[in-house]
Amino acid sequence: KILFSWELPRGWVSWLVSVSMLCLVLVVFFIYPVQFRSTESRLDRRILRWLPAVFLPLLLLMSIGIVRRISDYGITVVRLYLVLFNAWCYLVCIGLIVCKSRRIKWIPLSFIVLLLLASVGPQNFTSVTRRTLLRQIRREVNAGFPGVVFPLDSVAYDSLMTSGDSAFVSAVDSRMEYVSGNFPAE
């Protein structure tokens, strides 16, 4: 449908590709022991060999949807985890193609390692998102209203939201709402 109408679908792409990727990993794990039997079927071998290659266009579609979502609405913690998951899916598919599905122990291990790296330490996605959004808010507010002192109280915030143009108000307000909802101390 995408190729015929030349239009990206609206929503649900990441969910559908993620569930499909989970199904791919499950199929690989269920078929994996069969390939070491002497009675292995050619169909099983073909599935293990070509199924990851079939998923690469879906992952590309997911990547396009993620980039578009971030460029339209900005960065969030969930979107960063989605970017990481998308990169892990590429790693799994390309790894399965290269190693011809002979080794699969690395799949859950790589997922756990990447999840820990993204969640623990000073580089975790929550602090990266917080720093990025606060930097964007300060830059936009200082560009539109030089001399504003941070942190803003509710009176200063209300005066900013009533005195700016609609594009400025919309961009800053959505970021401020996300920051205040997820990082109330900031």
Side-chain angles (χ1 to χ4, degrees):
K1 181 180 177 187
I2 295 168
L3 293 175
F4 291 118
S5 66
W6 205 247
E7 181 179 323
L8 286 173
R10 298 188 193 281
W12 289 92
V13 172
S14 294
W15 281 104
L16 294 173
V17 174
S18 298
V19 170
S20 299
M21 190 65 194
L22 176 66
C23 292
L24 166 75
V25 171
L26 289 174
V27 164
V28 167
F29 274 98
F30 286 137
I31 294 179
Y32 179 75
V34 175
Q35 69 179 331
F36 297 109
R37 283 196 250 156
S38 60
T39 60
E40 176 192 16
S41 74
R42 295 180 80 188
L43 178 63
D44 292 341
R45 217 172 333 158
R46 285 186 182 151
I47 288 173
L48 283 172
R49 175 87 175 150
W50 295 107
L51 194 58
V54 170
F55 271 80
L56 289 175
L58 293 174
L59 292 175
L60 180 64
L61 180 64
M62 183 177 172
S63 300
I64 292 168
I66 293 168
V67 167
R68 185 171 177 189
R69 194 81 166 165
I70 289 174
S71 69
D72 288 349
Y73 301 110
I75 191 172
T76 64
V77 175
V78 174
R79 289 183 189 132
L80 285 179
Y81 277 109
L82 191 60
V83 168
L84 179 67
F85 179 72
N86 187 251
W88 177 78
C89 291
Y90 277 112
L91 175 76
V92 168
C93 286
I94 292 170
L96 287 172
I97 292 168
V98 169
C99 74
K100 299 178 184 175
S101 300
R102 293 288 181 201
R103 308 236 186 304
I104 61 171
K105 207 179 345 181
W106 61 272
I107 294 173
L109 291 175
S110 65
F111 183 79
I112 291 168
V113 167
L114 287 175
L115 189 63
L116 282 174
L117 287 174
S119 302
V120 178
Q123 80 290 348
N124 69 59
F125 285 169
T126 304
S127 60
V128 168
T129 302
R130 180 180 45 79
R131 284 192 307 264
T132 303
L133 287 174
L134 289 174
R135 195 174 327 121
Q136 287 176 345
I137 290 168
R138 282 193 173 101
R139 185 176 49 233
E140 289 173 353
V141 169
N142 285 331
F145 300 96
V148 172
V149 180
F150 289 94
L152 297 174
D153 59 2
S154 61
V155 174
Y157 176 73
D158 289 339
S159 68
L160 275 177
M161 293 300 112
T162 57
S163 62
D165 66 277
S166 63
F168 168 80
V169 168
S170 175
V172 171
D173 188 46
S174 67
R175 288 188 183 99
M176 293 280 273
E177 185 177 330
Y178 184 83
V179 168
S180 68
N182 292 294
F183 316 106
E186 301 293 328

